[in-house]
Amino acid sequence: VGEGYKFIGWYDLAGNSVAAEMLSADKATLRYTTTGEATYYARFEKTVTQKFVRQVKNGDGWTNTSDDSIATLNPYTHTDVVGATASSKATVGEGYKFVGWYDAEGEPVADGMLNADKTTIRYTTTGDATYYARFEKTVTQTFIRQVKNGDNWEETTDDSIGTLNSYTHTDVVGA
């Protein structure tokens, strides 16, 4: 099979798949006893490659990464024929936030291509394509109330001293 093509199978003059007993174990070789004139077609379809790439926020831009601690994608590459379904699931690593799926132009993909939690992209292939799963590093900010007791500062949960809106807050770097 030539690069960029997938062998579909052997077909007779009427367009029917040939009988299984006429094929080798790998179904690529046609074998039969000649009984008369016959025409057989070896059918091929053009393949398309779908690439799924991880990117991490780097200043104002995005950098491709292969660091599994940031996130994993399943799969990273998918090759099939036009009209096949392609999909990839983004699983975020600890200390990172999944931002979303983006196309080759850097635009967010349509909601119709995403599952409910937007971590899995799924679509029908039309040609070669690359999609980017983007992630940002998160940081945790902890706010602890203290009260002076003599010469020492002590932690307290007593709301009568003063209230805090949030004791712990996690957000992306730079927020």
Side-chain angles (χ1 to χ4, degrees), residues 55-64 134-137 173:
Q55 290 187 322
V56 65
K57 184 80 170 178
N58 184 4
D60 291 333
W62 297 94
T63 301
N64 293 355
R134 291 184 172 172
F135 303 87
E136 288 184 294
K137 180 131 181 76
V173 173

Side-chain angles (χ1 to χ4, degrees), residues 87-104:
S87 68
S88 183
K89 178 175 177 51
T91 303
V92 66
E94 189 173 332
Y96 288 86
K97 174 184 174 186
F98 178 64
V99 176
W101 283 99
Y102 292 79
D103 64 19

